[in-house]
Amino acid sequence: MTSTQTPTPTPAPLGGTQKPKAGQPTWLIAAIGLIGGVVLTLGAQQAASSWKVYQAKPETFLARNRSGDSSIKETASGLQYKVLKPGVGAKPGDGDVALITYEGKLTNGTTFDKSEQPTPLQVAGVVPGFSEGLKLMQRGGKYRLWIKPTLGYGDKAAGPIPANSVLVFDVDLLDFKSEAEIREIQRAQQAGGSAGPPPAGPAVP
């Protein structure tokens, strides 16, 4: 999901085709494609007319949401989050590519998108609230994010997501690598002359 564009499901492979070497996580190959311009997308398939819009205003919902659960935290930007499972170690930054699983819902509980497999994405290539949430997490952690409209799609509808929607995501951060690390892996592969099918790029939330 991008902050300014509609979903772009087709990745742009970087530097040709690569084949993973023995012992190398295959998600890194897909991540190389992300550096060439793939961003997080919302791949929901149902028509917007099928959704029921939550009637409360976003600010009303978010105020009630936090007041009802002391474990829900709110950042200075207004992002709300809850730690479902703590992670360990460092946190990703804007220049990193993260490997995640996720499920996105509207506030009425309707799922609009869900990852079918672990998905690599650029931390800085998603809507602001999702990016901020990722940067709070550590490897192995699972968070629930409540993204207010101004940190998501604002007053614009996005496929099945109505305008001014609060987005609710459950996110597992499995791993992350820096862009520099991924580029170094790519250079090593090219130097070794390895070749294979182009990396499969995800179309995701």
Side-chain angles (χ1 to χ4, degrees):
M1 84 192 128
T2 68
S3 56
T4 59
Q5 301 178 5
T6 55
T8 53
T10 304
L14 182 68
T17 60
Q18 291 88 26
K19 183 178 181 180
K21 296 183 178 180
Q24 179 178 304
T26 56
W27 76 269
L28 290 177
I29 304 304
I32 289 171
L34 287 169
I35 301 303
V38 175
V39 294
L40 183 65
T41 64
L42 286 165
Q45 301 299 313
Q46 295 178 268
S49 60
S50 67
W51 303 117
K52 296 178 180 178
V53 180
Y54 192 85
Q55 296 302 310
K57 292 183 178 180
E59 56 269 26
T60 302
F61 170 83
L62 291 167
R64 291 174 178 171
N65 187 53
R66 189 180 180 193
S67 65
D69 188 341
S70 61
S71 66
I72 296 175
K73 309 300 181 184
E74 185 170 305
T75 68
S77 72
L79 172 71
Q80 292 185 0
Y81 69 95
K82 180 176 182 177
V83 180
L84 303 178
K85 176 186 174 185
V88 295
K91 300 176 181 180
D94 284 332
D96 293 331
V97 174
L99 182 70
I100 68 167
T101 60
Y102 65 89
E103 181 173 10
K105 296 183 178 182
L106 301 176
T107 54
N108 65 2
T110 303
T111 297
F112 58 78
D113 197 22
K114 183 177 182 179
S115 59
E116 299 298 329
Q117 60 187 6
T119 301
L121 58 93
Q122 288 177 297
V123 173
V126 297
V127 296
F130 201 99
S131 178
E132 182 180 357
L134 285 175
K135 290 182 286 186
L136 295 172
M137 301 178 68
Q138 298 166 292
R139 285 184 179 91
K142 181 173 184 176
Y143 279 35
R144 180 165 296 157
L145 309 177
W146 290 267
I147 301 174
K148 66 181 184 179
T150 55
L151 296 177
Y153 289 105
D155 60 359
K156 305 296 184 182
I161 302 173
N164 295 308
S165 290
V166 174
L167 308 177
V168 186
F169 279 98
D170 283 355
V171 183
D172 292 272
L173 178 60
L174 307 178
D175 199 1
F176 65 89
K177 296 286 185 183
S178 70
E179 181 176 335
E181 288 178 294
I182 293 172
R183 288 188 181 276
E184 182 59 36
I185 291 169
Q186 181 193 19
R187 283 193 291 268
Q189 290 173 338
Q190 291 174 333
S194 60
V204 280

